Amino acid sequence: MTESPGGSANVPSRDRRRFPGISSRSYEHPADRSALVALRKLSGFDTVFKTLSGLLPERSLRLLFLSDSVRVGEQQFAHLNDMLRDACYILDLEKVPPMYVNQDPQPNAMCIGLDEPIIVVTTGLVELLDEEEMRAVIGHEVGHALSGHAVYRTILLFLTNLAMKVAWIPLGNVAIMAIVTALREWFRKSELSADRAGLLVGQDLQASMRGLMKLAGGNHLHEMNVDAFLKQADEYEAGGDLRDSVLKILNLLPRSHPFTTVRAAELKKWAASRDYQRIMDGHYPRRDEDKDTSVSDSFRDSAAHYADSVRNSKDPLMGLVRDIAGGAGDLGGKLRDTVFRGGGRSDGPGGGNGSNGSGGSDRPEAS
């Protein structure tokens, strides 16, 4: 980090574009953006969450990190402090959130808080990533802060813990888990938004790709290849039959994050888009225009995105959805052919093709 001629402003340590007044709508995933716009437009929304904040252990969390983690600053983890201030400068976030390093070998990062966001990174993440990869992750977390995701992330953590405590109450647990499942679906989309913010901060697509690849395979770059890693995402999306499509959904439901290969593929696609180039050229929505944002426009954008996803998806289940939407004649035959495609079906006794699968685990991973 360097100092401006006036000595009062911090600027990035290398030449990067800055985005004065940028609105988080610029980089938010359509599904994430429509949900946030709708929530922000609800009458009394702020009041409800201020009331809820009294029930959540936010003050306890802040005291916990203050007492049992290392606060990033000029005297502690100074290089992370420089990256944090760089990220806030580039995205024009006026108040720099406090950041802590927590002793944990599992690579992870999060942005939580109701009144004010705080960022936490683990020692496992700090030791895993190089400078440019870490810059993208910190930009990712600052993107969460700018979008207001910290509020909902905190509520998700609270409700997840509450669900575990009331698991013995059948109806209570079902009700809470329904909310948790919905929040997780939103949060998975918000992670794609924050990945885009990380790219806007780091402005180095290869570093973002490397960071995601390391989260999947560890610190063995000499054994990995970005192109091969991205091919995994294509294979994951297009491979298998309808049974595999269902297993993908079951594997994803317990997770707060999209799968790492999918995140990498989504980020590369966005980096090649006209939307990204327009932002880099200085053409983006401004924060002072947020109050005029149309909820219906945001929902239309979200609907258009999902329609485009179904139209272009290689997943067998999405192919069946397209057939149904297109009025396919022999849906029973198509369903049978899709299920047993490549499955070695036999019409003889015992010739059915069995399938075993299990739900995925929600292992911690860098947000």
Side-chain angles (χ1 to χ4, degrees):
M1 172 146 346
T2 60
E3 193 172 276
S4 68
S8 59
N10 291 299
V11 299
S13 56
R14 71 169 172 83
D15 185 25
R16 293 183 181 84
R17 290 178 178 85
R18 185 174 179 253
F19 310 104
I22 190 171
S23 168
S24 60
R25 291 181 291 117
S26 303
Y27 58 80
E28 284 166 351
H29 187 279
D32 170 27
R33 184 169 61 242
S34 62
L36 288 179
V37 169
L39 284 172
R40 291 163 182 163
K41 289 287 183 177
L42 286 177
S43 177
F45 173 77
D46 289 339
T47 304
V48 170
F49 275 93
K50 288 293 182 183
T51 303
L52 186 58
S53 68
L55 304 175
L56 299 179
E58 182 186 18
R59 294 178 68 88
S60 175
L61 282 174
R62 289 179 182 276
L63 289 172
L64 178 63
F65 289 122
L66 186 62
S67 64
D68 205 32
S69 301
V70 176
R71 183 161 58 189
V72 171
E74 293 182 359
Q75 295 178 313
Q76 300 186 119
F77 290 100
H79 71 294
L80 296 182
N81 185 56
D82 286 348
M83 292 182 203
L84 175 63
R85 297 181 70 85
D86 281 357
C88 293
Y89 176 81
I90 290 171
L91 294 181
D92 200 17
L93 186 64
E94 184 176 350
K95 188 169 184 180
V96 179
M99 184 162 75
Y100 295 89
V101 175
N102 180 248
Q103 170 59 32
D104 186 343
Q106 181 70 45
N108 204 357
M110 61 181 173
C111 181
I112 57 174
L114 292 173
D115 293 324
E116 294 182 359
I118 61 174
I119 295 172
V120 181
V121 298
T122 64
T123 51
L125 188 68
V126 174
E127 292 163 4
L128 177 66
L129 304 181
D130 68 25
E131 179 178 348
E132 293 305 311
E133 295 157 6
M134 193 70 195
R135 190 183 301 278
V137 168
I138 291 176
H140 174 116
E141 300 305 328
V142 170
H144 276 312
L146 182 58
S147 288
H149 291 161
V151 172
Y152 316 112
R153 173 61 167 168
T154 305
I155 292 170
L156 176 58
L157 287 172
F158 172 74
L159 290 177
T160 302
N161 291 334
L162 182 62
M164 294 175 63
K165 292 178 181 177
V166 300
W168 60 277
I169 308 177
L171 292 180
N173 187 50
V174 168
I176 292 172
M177 286 311 299
I179 300 173
V180 168
T181 300
L183 276 172
R184 278 178 175 159
E185 169 59 18
W186 160 76
F187 196 78
R188 285 191 290 269
K189 298 299 187 292
S190 78
E191 286 299 298
L192 302 179
S193 298
D195 283 343
R196 296 173 178 184
L199 179 59
L200 290 176
V201 167
Q203 298 173 25
D204 184 343
L205 179 60
Q206 288 303 309
S208 294
M209 294 289 106
R210 291 197 311 270
L212 289 168
M213 193 165 60
K214 281 184 176 181
L215 289 176
N219 193 14
H220 303 281
L221 276 180
H222 64 289
E223 297 284 357
M224 296 185 285
N225 178 274
V226 170
D227 292 334
F229 186 64
L230 290 171
K231 284 181 181 178
Q232 291 180 222
D234 290 336
E235 183 178 341
Y236 170 78
E237 182 183 3
D241 52 29
L242 277 180
R243 292 165 301 178
D244 294 309
S245 297
V246 172
L247 290 175
K248 291 175 189 176
I249 295 172
L250 294 176
N251 285 340
L252 186 62
L253 281 177
R255 297 172 61 93
S256 61
H257 292 63
F259 293 113
T260 317
T261 56
V262 175
R263 289 173 65 182
E266 285 280 341
L267 186 60
K268 185 178 181 183
K269 186 188 306 179
W270 186 71
S273 71
R274 187 168 178 268
D275 289 341
Y276 174 72
Q277 192 54 56
R278 282 180 59 81
I279 296 174
M280 296 304 291
D281 290 340
H283 305 296
Y284 49 81
R286 260 57 178 185
R287 219 168 294 162
D288 55 13
E289 302 166 350
D290 285 350
K291 62 182 182 298
D292 302 319
T293 305
S294 166
V295 177
S296 58
D297 287 347
S298 296
F299 276 114
R300 274 196 295 270
D301 290 344
S302 180
H305 168 79
Y306 278 116
D308 185 64
S309 296
V310 171
R311 187 165 51 249
N312 296 318
S313 176
K314 302 172 185 176
D315 185 271
L317 181 59
M318 292 301 101
L320 183 62
V321 170
R322 286 195 299 271
D323 287 342
I324 295 173
D330 182 17
L331 282 180
K334 283 183 175 292
L335 179 60
R336 182 181 63 250
D337 293 343
T338 306
V339 168
F340 292 106
R341 186 201 324 155
R345 183 190 178 199
S346 170
D347 292 328
N353 194 20
S355 174
N356 295 319
S358 59
S361 62
D362 188 17
R363 66 171 183 170
E365 52 192 312
S367 66

